[in-house]
Amino acid sequence: MAGQDQYIYGIHAIREALDAGKEVERVLLKKGPPSDLLKELLGELRRQQIPVQQVPVEKLNRITRKNHQGIIAWLS
C-alpha cells in the first residue's frame, strides 16, 4: 500500500463515509463483543463486502491515540 493511506476512525465517521459513497478499502475492528452501534455498522460493511479484520485493541492504539471507538477504516 502507498504511503498516501488515509484512515478514519470511530463508528459515526465510518458510517458517514459509507453513506457519502466513499470507498472503504478495509476495516480493523477490536476483538471482543461489538456494541449495538458497531453491530449495525458491521452489517453494512458485510453488505458492501468490505474486509473486516479483528485485532487486539493495542494494534488500534498504535495506529492512532485518538478515540477510535474500537474501529479504524482505510479509504481507497
Side-chain angles (χ1 to χ4, degrees), residues 4-5 7-8 17-18 20 28 30 32-33 37 46-48 51 55 57-60 63-64 70 72-73:
Q4 298 281 41
D5 283 355
Y7 64 86
I8 56 175
L18 292 172
L28 293 184
K30 78 171 181 187
L37 271 178
R46 265 189 221 105
R47 275 190 291 284
Q48 294 192 29
V55 297
V57 72
E58 293 80 21
K59 180 162 185 165
L60 300 177
I63 295 166
T64 181
I72 298 177

Side-chain angles (χ1 to χ4, degrees), residues 12-22 24 40-41 44 48:
H12 298 291
I14 294 169
R15 157 113 277 146
E16 285 169 21
L18 292 172
D19 290 347
K22 292 209 185 341
V24 176
E40 198 180 298
L41 180 56
E44 183 57 34
Q48 294 192 29

Side-chain angles (χ1 to χ4, degrees), residues 4-8 17 22-26 73-76:
Q4 298 281 41
D5 283 355
Q6 188 184 8
Y7 64 86
I8 56 175
K22 292 209 185 341
E23 219 170 289
V24 176
E25 202 173 283
R26 66 189 176 104
W74 273 263
L75 302 177
S76 301

